[in-house]
Amino acid sequence: MVEIGENTIAIPPGETIKEMLADRHMTQKEFAARMDYSAKYISKLINGEAALTQETALRLEIVLGATASFWNGLEAAYREDLQRVKQEQFSEAG
């Protein structure tokens, strides 16, 4: 889920996954099967509700082609931006 702060927008890696699936005309169900994960987990991953792990990054590398480092970088940036959004929201409330 995209989170918006005063100066920061946190975009989960799932947004990139969603775009790549659309480009490949692949459903989330088919993607889940190729990743050997449940459809529920894939949905949570795409919506930013589940963290992208090292193992998932390696599987994404195989299934979607982008390197594990790319996926890990997106996840790290997302988590950092989430913290910034929380800080901005806290500052706005106070």
Side-chain angles (χ1 to χ4, degrees):
M1 173 167 60
V2 175
E3 296 283 340
I4 300 173
E6 186 174 322
N7 300 308
T8 306
I9 298 174
I11 302 170
E15 290 294 320
T16 302
I17 294 169
K18 194 184 312 183
E19 290 174 13
M20 293 177 93
L21 294 179
D23 289 346
R24 290 167 172 75
H25 307 287
M26 187 185 307
T27 66
Q28 284 188 26
K29 185 176 180 179
E30 181 183 356
F31 178 61
R34 289 186 184 193
M35 291 285 291
D36 196 27
Y37 284 141
S38 71
K40 184 176 180 178
Y41 174 77
I42 292 298
S43 177
K44 287 184 175 191
L45 179 65
I46 287 175
N47 291 312
E49 297 167 13
L52 194 153
T53 65
Q54 301 287 321
E55 177 185 352
T56 302
L58 290 169
R59 290 185 191 196
L60 287 167
E61 180 177 271
I62 293 165
V63 175
L64 296 178
T67 66
S69 295
F70 170 79
W71 296 111
N72 289 325
L74 286 180
E75 178 67 17
Y78 174 59
R79 297 296 161 186
E80 182 178 316
D81 287 343
L82 271 180
Q83 290 304 309
R84 281 199 171 94
V85 167
K86 286 179 185 177
Q87 286 177 340
E88 289 169 8
Q89 290 171 342
F90 180 75
S91 295
E92 289 172 9

